[in-house]
């Protein structure tokens, strides 16, 4: 599902008009889609008191269509249309729809709100669209404040985008409408997919207004997309009757150390629960018994260790680790490794020389700081949180959080890796410049060990679907976030533990198979 900038959306609309569909038809379709949503969500509309706020641009024109259709078709208990400009300021299709609204007998009023308006049960925000830049002031600001605080009984539905928010950034530069629902058209806009702006959208509903998807979905210059289960649902199909454990891949987890055995065990169990046929955990010899005690499904291999309990470089130099990985399909390296200098060197050697697909997390990422990360065409998936990304890039964490898309994209292109930049709306950046945004997740995942679970899920899917690494990683990230959401419904946002995700992952898979395309 492509995510569009305001300029890209304008270009799509321009091409539609060139194809012979007038702008006024697109406006009519947009307003109709909003009314369809209102009828679906808030039926019967005849019982509602509705106020429609309209600006002077095309967003206001959409609002006039909404008001006209409500007035002529649904006859709500009360309908008020508030226009922020004088009618003489309206132009083009917005002016035409204003005249049609008046012709139907519905007369918009000025921006002064009558006392009876504050009892509205539905507020439609069609003040400002996707074209604004900077913060809002003047009459528009006053109405935004009124929408946010002046209608205690109302649900707020934004047309295309909540007024005050820019289309092309996740940042909130000034005050903006806080919507309960946003009905947008054709495709998601950038601010609807990225935090913190996406938090002001409420539930976002994408409705089609007649634009052929090929005008944007096949446009390679649009590099931003949002992950949707439709793209990886085929990975969740039932297995073939003749499948066996060797059919579904063998994951090798290189992780753990004395006192940090749990991370490697969680990674291994997540790979099992994601569907890997076999999982082996290789760790420092003193950690093996503890790892094995976590789950009988895990095979274990002891490696030589350092005095501090980390994996020794000897395990690489003597060829033991190379021998162990030879018949494996995917390597997951990093969880619980610790920072012993020998262990750091082992990670660097494995990353540089092992031909296998590799998921690198946690201490594995820290070991790569300041190193040449060129992959020589080998599949490498790096899964940093913002702090680890700061160490990898040398940029401040705050700078990364402010410009996540561009920084992730540049890093993946420069180093030839798939980058999973974790956080609210986790990003997947690819070497060719594409960036996918993950819509699932919850603050309940802000607890130790959830990253280890993600590493294991990703490795498990890669082992099963080696020919579809992008979809495998996308599935892992989406399902990890969805499992957290499902767990939050039962346990709340404070009590969810990392291992609870293993319990809720199967339900996340089932839910994805049920979602519409």
């Amino acid at each position: 599902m492509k995510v569009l900038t305001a300029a890209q959306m304008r270009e799509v609309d321009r091409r539609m008009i060139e194809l012979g569909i007038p702008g006024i038809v697109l406006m009519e379709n947009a307003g109709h889609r909003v009314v369809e949503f209102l009828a679906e969500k808030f039926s019967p509309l005849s019982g509602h008191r509705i106020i429609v706020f309209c600006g002077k641009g095309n967003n206001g024109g959409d609002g006039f269509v909404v008001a006209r259709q409500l007035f002529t078709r649904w006859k709500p208990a009360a309908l008020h249309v508030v226009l922020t400009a004088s009618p003489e300021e309206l132009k083009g299709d917005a002016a035409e729809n204003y005249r049609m609204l008046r012709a139907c007998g519905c007369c918009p009023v000025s921006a002064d709100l009558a006392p009876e308006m504050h009892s509205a049960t539905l507020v439609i925000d069609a003040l400002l669209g996707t074209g604004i830049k900077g913060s809002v002031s003047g009459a528009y600001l006053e109405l935004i404040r009124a929408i946010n605080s002046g209608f205690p009984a109302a649900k707020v539905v934004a047309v295309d985008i909540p007024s005050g928010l820019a289309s092309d950034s996740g940042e909130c530069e000034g005050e903006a409408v806080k919507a309960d629902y946003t009905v947008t058209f054709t495709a998601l806009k950038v601010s609807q997919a990225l935090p913190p702006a996406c938090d002001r959208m409420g539930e976002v509903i994408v409705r089609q207004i007649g634009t052929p998807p090929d005008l944007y979905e096949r446009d390679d210059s649009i590099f931003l997309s949002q992950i949707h289960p439709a793209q990886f649902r085929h990975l969740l199909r039932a297995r073939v009757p003749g499948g066996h454990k060797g059919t579904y891949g063998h994951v090798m987890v290189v992780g753990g150390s004395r006192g940090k055995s749990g991370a490697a065990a969680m990674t291994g169990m997540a790979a099992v629960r994601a569907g890997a046929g076999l999982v082996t955990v290789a760790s420092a010899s003193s950690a093996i018994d503890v790892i094995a005690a976590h789950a009988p499904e895990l095979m274990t291999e002891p490696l030589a260790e350092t005095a501090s309990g980390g994996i020794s470089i000897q395990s690489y130099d003597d060829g033991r680790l190379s021998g162990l990985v030879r018949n494996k399909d995917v390597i997951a390296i990093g969880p619980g490794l610790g920072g012993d200098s020998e262990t750091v060197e082992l990670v660097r050697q494995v990353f540089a020389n092992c031909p296998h697909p590799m998921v690198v997390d946690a201490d594995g990422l820290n070991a790569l700081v300041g190193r040449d990360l060129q992959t020589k065409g080998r599949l490498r998936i790096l899964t940093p949180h913002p702090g680890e990304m700061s160490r990898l890039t040398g940029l401040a964490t705050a700078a990364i959080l402010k410009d996540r898309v561009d920084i992730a994209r540049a890093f993946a292109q420069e180093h030839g890796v798939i980058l999973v930049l974790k956080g609210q709306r986790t990003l997947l950046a690819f070497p060719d410049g594409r960036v996918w945004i993950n819509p699932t997740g919850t603050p309940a995942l802000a607890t130790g060990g959830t990253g280890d679970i993600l590493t294991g899920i990703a490795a498990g899917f890669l082992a099963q679907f080696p020919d579809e690494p992008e979809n495998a990683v996308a599935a892992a990230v989406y399902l990890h976030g969805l499992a957290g959401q499902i767990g939050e419904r039962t346990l709340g946002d404070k009590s969810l533990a990392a291992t609870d995700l293993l319990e809720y992952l199967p339900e996340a898979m089932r839910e994805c198979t049920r979602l519409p395309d």
Side-chain angles (χ1 to χ4, degrees):
M1 181 187 294
K2 288 290 179 76
V3 177
L4 307 185
T5 65
Q8 289 165 343
M9 189 66 247
R10 286 193 297 270
E11 175 63 14
V12 169
D13 286 344
R14 185 192 66 77
R15 294 172 67 186
M16 278 291 291
I17 293 170
E18 280 188 350
L19 290 174
I21 301 179
I24 199 165
V25 172
L26 296 177
M27 188 173 285
E28 183 73 21
N29 290 347
H32 186 58
R33 297 293 91 79
V34 174
V35 173
E36 282 181 342
F37 167 75
L38 295 175
E40 294 164 7
K41 190 71 179 180
F42 301 107
S43 182
L45 291 177
S46 59
H48 281 277
R49 298 179 299 279
I50 304 174
I51 182 167
V52 184
F53 288 93
C54 297
K56 64 180 181 180
N58 284 340
N59 195 247
D62 296 340
F64 296 142
V65 175
V66 172
R68 172 165 46 82
Q69 294 201 13
L70 289 172
F71 184 79
T72 57
R73 295 174 58 200
W74 300 101
K75 305 294 184 184
L79 176 64
H80 301 280
V81 182
V82 176
L83 175 60
T84 60
S86 66
E88 292 74 21
E89 294 179 80
L90 300 173
K91 297 178 181 179
D93 297 333
E96 287 297 321
N97 272 297
Y98 172 80
R99 285 191 283 271
M100 283 190 276
L101 178 63
R102 289 290 303 266
C104 291
C106 181
C107 298
V109 299
S110 69
D112 295 327
L113 302 184
E116 64 269 17
M117 294 183 186
H118 293 282
S119 64
T121 56
L122 281 175
V123 171
I124 312 303
D125 166 29
L127 287 172
L128 295 167
T130 59
I132 72 162
K133 291 181 172 61
S135 57
V136 178
S137 60
Y140 282 104
L141 178 59
E142 293 303 315
L143 287 175
I144 286 171
R145 289 172 174 171
I147 291 172
N148 286 339
S149 62
F151 304 93
K155 293 293 185 182
V156 177
V157 179
V159 177
D160 207 11
I161 191 169
S163 294
L165 291 176
S167 178
D168 295 351
S169 171
E171 297 298 313
C172 301
E173 295 188 30
E175 294 185 57
V177 166
K178 179 70 170 69
D180 296 294
Y181 304 91
T182 298
V183 181
T184 196
F185 312 119
T186 303
L188 285 172
K189 315 310 182 293
V190 174
S191 60
Q192 292 164 347
L194 293 176
C198 64
D199 296 332
R200 300 195 69 84
M201 304 285 171
E203 181 183 344
V204 179
I205 299 94
V206 180
R207 292 292 170 98
Q208 299 304 314
I209 59 174
T211 306
D214 283 356
L215 287 184
Y216 50 95
E217 291 293 351
R218 296 183 181 275
D219 186 343
D220 292 337
S221 69
I222 302 173
F223 66 85
L224 203 60
S225 301
Q226 181 166 279
I227 299 171
H228 190 281
Q231 71 192 80
F232 62 78
R233 188 176 291 135
H234 60 287
L235 306 185
L236 306 179
R237 292 173 185 157
R239 291 177 167 178
V240 297
H244 54 83
K245 62 187 179 184
T247 307
Y248 302 110
H250 194 159
V251 173
M252 166 72 84
V253 178
V254 181
S257 57
R258 190 187 308 152
K260 294 184 177 180
S261 56
M266 286 191 290
T267 300
M269 277 309 301
V272 170
R273 190 55 60 89
L278 296 164
V279 179
T280 297
V281 180
S283 188
S285 58
S286 63
I288 287 296
D289 288 346
V290 181
I291 292 170
H294 277 278
E297 295 90 346
L298 299 176
M299 295 180 286
T300 56
E301 291 287 351
L303 300 174
E305 67 179 69
T306 66
S308 63
I311 301 174
S312 169
I313 189 64
Q314 177 186 338
S315 299
Y316 183 83
D317 291 341
D318 65 13
R320 173 160 169 71
L321 187 57
S322 298
L324 290 174
V325 303
R326 188 171 294 120
N327 65 337
K328 307 304 186 292
D329 297 293
V330 177
I331 311 301
I333 189 167
L337 277 177
D340 189 289
S341 60
E342 288 194 37
T343 310
V344 167
E345 183 57 30
L346 177 137
V347 172
R348 292 171 175 175
Q349 293 297 330
V350 172
F351 184 90
N353 299 314
C354 180
H356 296 69
M358 192 176 300
V359 185
V360 187
D361 188 29
D363 291 325
L365 295 169
N366 293 329
L368 299 178
V369 171
R371 305 294 292 183
D372 179 5
L373 299 182
Q374 293 301 322
T375 62
K376 302 175 184 176
R378 296 164 177 159
L379 180 61
R380 297 289 184 263
I381 297 99
L382 276 58
T383 62
H385 57 57
E388 291 161 341
M389 191 67 180
S390 173
R391 292 189 283 276
L392 286 169
T393 61
L395 300 171
T397 302
I400 289 168
L401 291 173
K402 188 174 179 62
D403 197 15
R404 292 193 312 145
V405 170
D406 287 344
I407 289 171
R409 187 182 188 218
F411 189 93
Q413 289 177 304
E414 178 182 356
H415 299 291
V417 300
I418 295 177
L419 183 78
V420 179
L421 182 53
K422 295 182 289 194
Q424 186 185 10
R425 303 294 175 110
T426 290
L427 303 178
L428 278 67
F430 300 98
D432 63 3
R434 288 172 298 132
V435 178
W436 294 353
I437 304 168
N438 179 51
T440 64
T442 161
L445 292 169
T447 185
T450 56
D452 304 317
I453 298 292
L454 175 59
T455 298
I457 297 173
F461 272 99
L462 284 165
Q464 297 170 81
F465 306 103
D467 297 330
E468 296 191 56
E470 295 179 359
N471 284 333
V473 177
V477 172
Y478 189 100
L479 291 166
H480 177 265
L482 183 56
Q485 292 174 202
I486 295 169
E488 182 185 35
R489 296 171 199 164
T490 302
L491 302 174
D493 62 0
K494 297 176 178 63
S495 297
L496 185 78
T499 51
D500 291 325
L501 297 175
L502 301 176
E503 177 182 350
Y504 295 111
L505 181 61
E507 177 55 30
M509 293 184 186
R510 287 191 289 270
E511 189 167 314
C512 283
T513 63
R514 296 192 295 261
L515 290 173
D517 290 345

